[in-house]
């Protein structure tokens, strides 16, 4: 007897790379997510659609909250309170946390983030985790995290679904592969970097939680279960979504098989690859996986990863005539901005290399001039802006149009 699979919605705004990662993951599991914009949510789309699960990808939680606005945040709270399920990854998990006068988050639970001094503030890679998911066949899993925060767990009503145990083989703290650093040397590195680097700040902490909210619930995960080619994480994601287990294939954003020809997108993709190769030559960038750059501390390579992923996706999916016409009105400006970004970032990277050579004991930033260059190109941290932000806005709109209309779910 045929069964009806649950419906899924994906909140797109302020997700960028992480939105694409979530979209790919859901498609690989056989679920075609309904893309929702923040304006749709504010206008009542969740009341009409009533998805079984609303997936909120990573990204900056504050920017997501701002994009939703008062109406969108209240609509989203109402959806969960009346029986909906919220699944937030990383920044999407942060969006659901306790709201105060200073932070207009969703307040789906009373949890807050740990302060940076009480957590491991800059880590990435896989972690061995203990699972507490009755319907899942395994009691442990190797789960990936990509620069997560950490929960300050104070509410006994919240069910812990996974806890961190110990670092996996590809785990980094800041820009240091942890497996290469002797444990008795970490204190010296911490003195240089000025932040916690020892994995003890992570071990035993909750990684995935389920919080009740009215008739619904929020699943909050600092683990990116949608990470490509992470089979144990992918299997856990399928369990949490009530879907048959399936692998999420590796994603190579460097090599593409174009579904349509566009000289501007192809030129931007090639220019970014050329820029990244320059960064590799100067020991500032490296490929950790085919979809993710690694970088020397302070280098804004996550932004380059994001742009390359967006361009790769835009070229790899078929495009309707109306979206082509819209893109033709935007592509000259976007190409011009991208060329400018790549030219100026190439100069910035060489100056960054010189600064790091002159000051090898100070891997972060490198003075006011470099900070000014970086902010003009990519905007202030945390967040984004500058020339990069202008490109991002155009590509984000292009991808939203493509994903809303595509029937081509190849991942």
């Amino acid at each position: 007897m045929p069964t009806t699979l649950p419906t899924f919605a994906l909140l797109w705004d302020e997700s960028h790379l992480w939105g694409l990662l979530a979209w790919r993951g859901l498609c690989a599991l056989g679920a075609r997510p309904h893309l929702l914009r923040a304006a749709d949510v504010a206008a009542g789309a969740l009341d009409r659609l009533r998805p079984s699960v609303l997936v909120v990808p990573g990204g900056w939680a504050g920017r997501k909250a701002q994009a939703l606005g008062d109406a969108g945040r209240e609509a989203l709270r109402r959806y969960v309170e009346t029986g909906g399920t919220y699944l937030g990854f990383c920044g999407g998990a942060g969006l659901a946390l306790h709201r105060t006068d200073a932070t207009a988050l969703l307040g789906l639970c009373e949890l807050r983030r740990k302060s940076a001094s009480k957590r491991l503030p800059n880590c990435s890679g896989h972690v061995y985790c203990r699972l507490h998911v009755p319907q899942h066949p395994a009691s442990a899993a190797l789960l990936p995290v990509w620069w997560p925060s950490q929960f300050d767990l104070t509410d006994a009503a919240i069910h812990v679904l996974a806890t961190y145990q110990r670092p996996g083989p590809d785990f980094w703290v800041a820009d240091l592969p942890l497996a290469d650093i002797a444990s008795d040397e970490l204190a010296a590195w911490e003195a240089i970097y000025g932040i916690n680097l020892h994995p003890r700040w992570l071990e035993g902490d909750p990684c995935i939680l389920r919080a009740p909210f009215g008739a619904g619930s929020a699943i909050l995960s600092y683990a990116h279960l949608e990470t490509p080619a992470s089979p144990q994480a992918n299997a856990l994601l399928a369990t949490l979504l009530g879907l048959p287990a399936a692998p999420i294939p590796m994603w190579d954003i460097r090599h593409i098989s174009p579904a349509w020809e566009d000289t501007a997108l192809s030129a931007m993709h090639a220019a970014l690859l050329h820029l990244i190769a320059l960064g590799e030559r100067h020991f500032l960038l490296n490929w950790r996986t085919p979809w993710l750059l690694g970088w020397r501390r302070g280098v804004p390579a996550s932004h380059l990863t994001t742009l390359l992923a967006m361009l790769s996706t835009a070229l790899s999916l078929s495009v309707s005539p109306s979206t082509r016409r819209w893109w033709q009105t935007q592509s000259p400006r976007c190409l011009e901005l991208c060329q400018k970004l790549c030219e100026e970032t190439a100069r910035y990277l060489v100056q960054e290399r010189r600064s790091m050579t002159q000051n090898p004991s100070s891997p972060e930033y490198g003075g006011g001039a470099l900070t000014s260059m970086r902010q003009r190109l990519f905007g202030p941290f945390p967040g984004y802006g500058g020339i990069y932000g202008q490109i991002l806005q155009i590509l984000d709109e292009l991808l939203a149009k493509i994903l809303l209309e595509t029937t081509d779910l190849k991942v």
Side-chain angles (χ1 to χ4, degrees), residues 113-407:
R113 297 191 312 167
K114 282 189 175 182
S115 64
S117 64
K118 296 181 179 179
R119 59 183 172 90
L120 191 59
N122 194 339
C123 62
S124 57
H126 283 74
V127 186
Y128 290 100
C129 296
R130 186 176 302 281
L131 304 184
H132 314 276
V133 184
Q135 66 271 37
H136 192 65
S139 60
L142 190 60
L143 305 181
V145 295
W146 305 114
W147 307 279
S149 185
Q150 287 173 244
F151 299 114
D152 188 4
L153 184 58
T154 56
D155 189 343
I158 292 174
H159 181 206
V160 176
L161 300 179
T163 52
Y164 298 114
Q165 296 300 299
R166 67 186 190 279
D170 66 340
F171 191 77
W172 285 25
V173 287
D175 57 1
L176 303 171
L178 186 63
D180 298 338
I181 310 296
S183 59
D184 60 357
E185 295 177 354
L186 275 174
W189 285 102
E190 287 181 330
I192 296 171
Y193 278 52
I195 58 173
N196 297 327
L197 296 175
H198 200 289
R200 65 172 174 268
W201 293 97
L202 202 64
E203 293 164 5
D205 253 26
C207 172
I208 309 174
L209 306 168
R210 185 193 298 272
F213 187 75
S217 65
I219 301 172
L220 311 181
S221 177
Y222 278 129
H224 276 279
L225 305 180
E226 78 285 27
T227 295
S230 186
Q232 295 179 35
N234 303 161
L236 178 57
L237 176 59
T239 296
L240 293 175
L241 293 175
L243 294 171
I248 298 174
M250 181 51 77
W251 185 21
D252 191 342
I253 63 175
R254 301 164 300 180
H255 305 104
I256 52 176
S257 300
W260 60 302
E261 292 185 8
D262 185 82
T263 55
L265 289 173
S266 297
M268 285 187 278
H269 190 268
L272 280 164
L273 287 176
H274 182 76
L275 176 64
I276 290 167
L278 180 147
E280 290 179 285
R281 291 196 299 273
H282 287 276
F283 312 107
L284 301 174
L285 302 175
N286 67 286
W287 285 101
R288 289 185 64 176
T289 76
W291 67 272
L292 182 67
L293 282 168
W295 57 87
R296 282 287 301 268
R297 192 180 184 208
V299 175
S302 62
H303 303 319
L304 303 182
T305 301
T306 295
L307 289 182
L308 198 66
M310 296 176 86
L311 291 165
S312 173
T313 304
L315 279 165
S316 299
L317 295 172
S318 56
V319 179
S320 71
S322 62
T323 295
R324 284 182 187 240
R325 289 191 295 270
W326 178 87
W327 172 241
Q328 287 169 1
T329 69
Q330 305 294 320
S331 59
R333 170 77 173 147
C334 197
L335 176 59
E336 179 185 1
L337 287 168
C338 187
Q339 289 171 335
K340 183 178 181 181
L341 179 78
C342 289
E343 290 169 5
E344 295 193 17
T345 300
R347 291 194 290 271
Y348 156 75
L349 289 175
V350 173
Q351 291 191 39
E352 189 75 81
R353 169 74 189 284
R354 183 177 67 184
S355 175
M356 290 179 178
T357 303
Q358 292 172 333
N359 304 283
S361 64
S362 299
E364 187 173 26
Y365 303 124
L370 280 175
T371 299
S372 296
M373 286 183 69
R374 195 165 43 243
Q375 290 190 0
R376 186 178 72 253
L377 292 168
F378 297 99
F381 181 87
Y384 61 87
I387 299 172
Y388 166 79
Q390 297 177 62
I391 301 169
L392 195 66
Q393 184 178 22
I394 299 171
L395 291 181
D396 191 70
E397 186 64 28
L398 172 63
L399 280 165
K401 290 178 180 295
I402 292 174
L403 297 185
L404 278 166
E405 67 194 14
T406 187
T407 57

Side-chain angles (χ1 to χ4, degrees), residues 91-107:
L95 176 64
L97 299 183
H98 177 78
R99 56 181 181 176
T100 66
D101 292 339
T103 56
L105 302 177
L106 294 176

